[in-house]
Amino acid sequence: MATVDREWAYRLAGELLEESLPRRWAHTQGVAARAQMLSPLAGSSAEVLESAAVLHDIGYAPALVDTGFHPLDAARYLRDAHVLDERVVRLVANHTYALLEAEERRLQEELAAEFPLLDDPLLVDALVYCDMTTTPDGVPTTLQERLDEILGRYGEDSVVGRFIRRATPCIHASVDRVRAAAAEAGVSL
């Protein structure tokens, strides 16, 4: 298994997003900050979680857009261009129930075949929590405010709108599981 290099992940995400998509860069930094808060829950996988958090949206970078589906574009780039821990790549590929959006885009077979869902439910849920409790500007928010913002930005009948409406129960369950694990571990969120 390749190593995880958190500093490299921040540099790469910054190079790809900071100038071309500054708001997306702010969001990814906020998501990574949330991942840092969850490091006691992630234990020895804390660096994997934080690296995936800062890299999760690099597929929006103009230089990486291929399919137009950012989780798949990002994961392919990370897999093909860089030696990186497979867990990070699979988390990026599948973040925030990406398979449901891939289905809307008719890319679910490709995503599932190339990047199977990571068999670590806590890490998967933790990345969902981090992404879905951070605004596009990188500020912590409530899950409901984030869901409302996404629907307002994309529209309920868009691909993203249809996906987010389908994924909402799953997203709520992930966030609830992270909150419960944090409470049990005495981690303040």
Side-chain angles (χ1 to χ4, degrees):
M1 183 178 303
T3 60
V4 179
D5 184 343
R6 181 177 33 221
E7 289 76 25
W8 172 85
Y10 277 90
R11 279 193 309 274
L12 177 64
E15 289 168 8
L16 290 168
L17 299 174
E18 187 172 18
E19 287 185 31
S20 64
L21 298 168
R23 193 170 190 213
R24 187 69 58 187
W25 175 231
H27 170 70
T28 60
Q29 290 178 91
V31 172
R34 299 292 260 180
Q36 289 172 358
M37 287 177 26
L38 295 180
S39 63
L41 290 181
S44 64
S45 296
E47 194 166 1
V48 169
L49 176 60
E50 188 176 346
S51 295
V54 79
L55 294 168
H56 82 284
D57 274 354
I58 65 169
Y60 283 114
L64 302 189
V65 174
D66 179 34
T67 67
F69 183 45
H70 77 278
L72 184 57
D73 291 343
R76 284 177 171 168
Y77 175 78
L78 292 170
R79 176 196 63 202
D80 297 344
H82 301 282
V83 176
L84 194 64
D85 187 306
E86 179 186 354
R87 296 172 297 170
V88 174
V89 177
R90 288 169 62 187
L91 282 167
V92 168
N94 289 287
H95 75 272
T96 312
Y97 295 94
L99 196 57
L100 292 175
E101 186 174 346
E103 188 177 331
E104 290 282 336
R105 296 173 180 274
R106 299 190 183 347
L107 292 168
Q108 72 273 17
E109 289 179 19
E110 288 176 62
L111 181 64
E114 291 181 50
F115 306 102
L117 186 62
L118 188 65
D119 187 21
D120 190 331
L122 179 61
L123 280 182
V124 172
D125 285 344
L127 187 54
V128 171
Y129 173 86
C130 295
D131 188 22
M132 295 306 296
T133 61
T134 304
T135 69
D137 296 309
V139 177
T141 190
T142 67
L143 173 57
Q144 192 56 54
E145 288 171 345
R146 177 77 163 123
L147 292 168
D148 291 345
E149 181 278 322
I150 292 169
L151 286 172
R153 184 166 25 122
Y154 289 98
E156 291 203 15
D157 293 325
S158 69
V159 168
V160 174
R162 288 190 307 272
F163 147 70
I164 208 72
R165 284 186 290 121
R166 284 182 58 212
T168 291
C170 301
I171 293 167
H172 273 284
S174 285
V175 169
D176 290 346
R177 286 189 295 267
V178 169
R179 287 182 178 144
E184 187 176 312
V187 174
S188 179
L189 298 180

